[in-house]
Amino acid sequence: MRVMSSLTLSLFFSIICCSLTEKLSNTSSPNIIIMLMDDMGWGDLGVLGQPSKETPNLDAMAAQGMLFPNFYTANPLCSPSRAALLTGRLPVRNGFYTTNGHARNAYTPQEIVGGISKDEMLLPQIMKKKGYVSKIVGKWHLGHRPQYLPLKNGFDEWFGAPDCHFGPYNSSIRPNIPVYNNSEMLGRYYEEFKIDRKTGESNLTRMYLLEGVDFIRRQTEAQRPFFLYWAPDATHAPVYASKPFLGKSQRGRYGDAVMELDYSVGHILLWLKRLGIENDTFVFFTSDNGAALMSGPNEGKHYK
Ligand SMILES: [Ca+2]
């Protein structure tokens, strides 16, 4: 019950890929995928009225699944929203609350040394008791010190970063955000993991897609139920997309990022079909908070 309450608390809309039919009764442990976008607004999808209709995969997913237009995130900011999703508890209880200006862990850049309490029970910890294998791909944002990282909080695997991809920073005074593969730091944003601030080009969404698909394939082959928490951050400022998507949207660079995410969602759903697990897998798609002006085509410069 705690699982469901956390989902209903945090989703402003959700789409269930598989039908709630007799198929589910055939398995006691359906796979669960939560696709959590970063700062993506509800109005960015064709199914919810975006006129350029550049999200065909998500629109199709909505048509085949269920929409929950009255579910809301627990907070309009990354960390408390994510903490609420993963704990099922309101920000004021899970320790991530208020706004940037008065934050206690509510936004976790390098300067904030707090993180998720060890007393909190996260979704992957609950699912582990039922034999699930869990992976987070992308942004964590519940604390960057070693004791707060995903593998210390129930996840079996992680590919991504503890914080936002803000930067580039001066590496000697304020280092760029690290990128991890499990407990191994692979490099840093803007250094080994390129994000071109001028062109908006980055392959990060592509990497996150491949990591997610690889995890799904491995767990399916091993016949283990899995929980994939897929949390790319391409729609968080500074927005980025890979070369095949840059310049393709009618909505500028932000739209390019949305198009690549939509493509990635479609690709993940395709793999569920290829692997024959589309009817044994719940797929939820949502955003951690609503649209941010700073993520727009001009990064908020028209809205001062
Ligand atoms: Ca966010």
Side-chain angles (χ1 to χ4, degrees):
M1 283 301 100
R2 192 171 185 176
V3 174
M4 292 310 292
S5 67
S6 79
L7 294 176
T8 53
L9 174 70
S10 303
L11 300 182
F12 77 88
F13 82 82
S14 310
I15 302 166
I16 298 176
C17 177
C18 62
S19 60
L20 289 167
T21 61
E22 70 281 357
K23 268 287 186 183
L24 270 183
S25 63
N26 294 338
T27 173
S28 58
S29 302
N31 307 308
I32 296 175
I33 300 175
I34 298 179
M35 301 169 164
L36 186 72
M37 303 300 107
D38 201 344
D39 292 11
M40 184 185 280
W42 66 269
D44 285 324
L45 307 185
V47 63
L48 295 173
Q50 215 297 316
S52 58
K53 300 277 186 189
E54 295 175 342
T55 53
N57 292 294
L58 284 162
D59 298 348
M61 187 179 169
Q64 296 159 13
M66 296 172 67
L67 283 173
F68 295 86
N70 287 325
F71 288 122
Y72 294 89
T73 60
N75 191 283
L77 201 61
C78 307
S79 299
S81 172
R82 288 158 195 258
L85 174 71
L86 290 173
T87 63
R89 303 221 305 154
L90 289 168
V92 71
R93 295 186 184 277
N94 67 39
F96 290 76
Y97 55 87
T98 75
T99 61
N100 280 351
H102 305 89
R104 178 186 181 279
N105 300 333
Y107 162 61
T108 56
Q110 300 95 317
E111 293 83 0
I112 293 179
V113 295
I116 189 75
S117 167
K118 63 177 172 39
D119 297 328
E120 293 294 334
M121 182 75 77
L122 275 65
L123 277 175
Q125 293 169 314
I126 297 168
M127 290 193 221
K128 193 184 288 285
K129 293 176 182 171
K130 293 290 184 184
Y132 280 73
V133 181
S134 298
K135 177 163 190 154
I136 167 175
V137 175
K139 176 171 149 180
W140 170 237
H141 229 202
L142 301 188
H144 59 82
R145 286 195 159 183
Q147 66 269 35
Y148 302 127
L149 293 178
L151 269 56
K152 298 287 187 185
N153 286 280
F155 284 100
D156 300 293
E157 298 184 17
W158 180 31
F159 183 90
D163 295 315
C164 284
H165 60 276
F166 283 134
Y169 297 119
N170 181 328
S171 60
S172 64
I173 298 172
R174 193 182 196 201
N176 286 313
I177 302 301
V179 175
Y180 285 83
N181 182 32
N182 298 321
S183 54
E184 179 190 4
M185 184 183 139
L186 298 178
R188 294 181 184 277
Y189 284 148
Y190 300 96
E191 296 172 27
E192 291 79 11
F193 294 86
K194 306 288 185 194
I195 304 171
D196 189 322
R197 288 296 301 265
K198 192 172 280 185
T199 65
E201 183 178 349
S202 175
N203 292 327
L204 283 164
T205 298
R206 180 78 185 159
M207 289 182 199
Y208 292 152
L209 169 60
L210 296 177
E211 284 289 328
V213 169
D214 173 70
F215 175 72
I216 292 169
R217 291 179 65 178
R218 281 189 285 113
Q219 303 318 316
T220 305
E221 285 165 11
Q223 297 188 310
R224 287 186 295 236
F226 64 81
F227 168 43
L228 172 62
Y229 177 49
W230 194 68
D233 62 356
T235 43
H236 188 295
V239 299
Y240 60 77
S242 64
K243 202 164 190 178
F245 294 90
L246 281 177
K248 293 295 191 299
S249 169
Q250 299 175 56
R251 308 180 59 212
R253 192 176 296 172
Y254 179 85
D256 296 338
V258 173
M259 287 179 80
E260 183 164 17
L261 291 166
D262 176 78
Y263 167 85
S264 303
V265 168
H267 201 71
I268 288 172
L269 296 181
L270 187 62
W271 267 105
L272 298 183
K273 284 184 182 166
R274 279 181 187 162
L275 294 168
I277 57 171
E278 76 271 26
N279 290 322
D280 299 323
T281 306
F282 281 109
V283 183
F284 297 89
F285 179 92
T286 186
S287 180
D288 67 341
N289 51 261
L293 292 179
M294 65 184 295
S295 302
N298 298 299
E299 299 194 0
K301 292 185 179 67
H302 289 173
Y303 303 97
K304 282 181 179 174

